[in-house]
Amino acid sequence: MIRKPSTLIPALALLLAGCDSPLDDPLGDAQLAFGNQDYIGARDHAQAALRDAPQDLAALELLARTQLAMGHGADARATLARLATAGAAADATKLLMVEAMLQTGDAEAAMELLGTPDSPLDPLLAPRVVNAMEDDL
């Protein structure tokens, strides 16, 4: 039995629609979305990248940055904990965790983590921590 080509084309299209394109790059898409301040898109693409590679340090860090940009400090803290478990250096994520702590109202923990300024960025964040602690008084 010979099928008409007109019925094979839609069937082939349906089969191909279910396949991942070799050009799919969820992390690259997440980075592009983040750069365009499309934080919902960045979050969704970063999560897609993590479905394929749950321990991907770059995807976890970008997800945490995106969560912070969205004001989701508690989610960022959870993602940063995953990042630490995956092997990220604590120094590399320290300021992200301080920001997450500030967003969740944990100024004391942020001040403790910030400690003595040892990076050029710390002095920029320290006044925010101090102000948050004064607000708690």
Side-chain angles (χ1 to χ4, degrees):
M1 170 188 220
I2 299 176
R3 294 186 182 206
K4 293 181 184 178
S6 62
T7 60
L8 290 177
I9 293 172
L12 184 58
L14 285 173
L15 284 173
L16 291 176
C19 297
D20 286 337
S21 165
L23 301 177
D24 280 349
D25 180 14
L27 181 56
D29 293 340
Q31 292 166 334
L32 182 62
F34 188 87
N36 290 325
Q37 297 180 350
D38 173 11
Y39 301 125
I40 293 172
R43 179 198 61 204
D44 293 346
H45 289 300
Q47 288 173 334
L50 289 167
R51 278 192 290 278
D52 295 336
Q55 302 297 313
D56 186 302
L57 298 181
L60 284 166
E61 182 178 340
L62 184 57
L63 179 58
R65 288 181 182 281
T66 300
Q67 291 164 329
L68 289 171
M70 295 173 71
H72 299 167
D75 292 338
R77 285 179 85 162
T79 300
L80 290 166
R82 283 179 60 192
L83 190 57
T85 300
D91 288 347
T93 60
K94 177 177 160 181
L95 295 178
L96 295 175
M97 183 58 85
V98 168
E99 177 64 30
M101 290 172 169
L102 289 174
Q103 285 188 12
T104 58
D106 198 352
E108 281 188 38
M111 182 61 107
E112 184 177 315
L113 182 59
L114 192 58
T116 305
D118 56 3
S119 92
L121 296 178
D122 286 349
L124 299 176
L125 197 51
R128 288 193 55 218
V129 174
V130 171
N131 287 341
M133 290 185 71
E134 288 173 353
D135 289 345
D136 288 345
L137 298 177

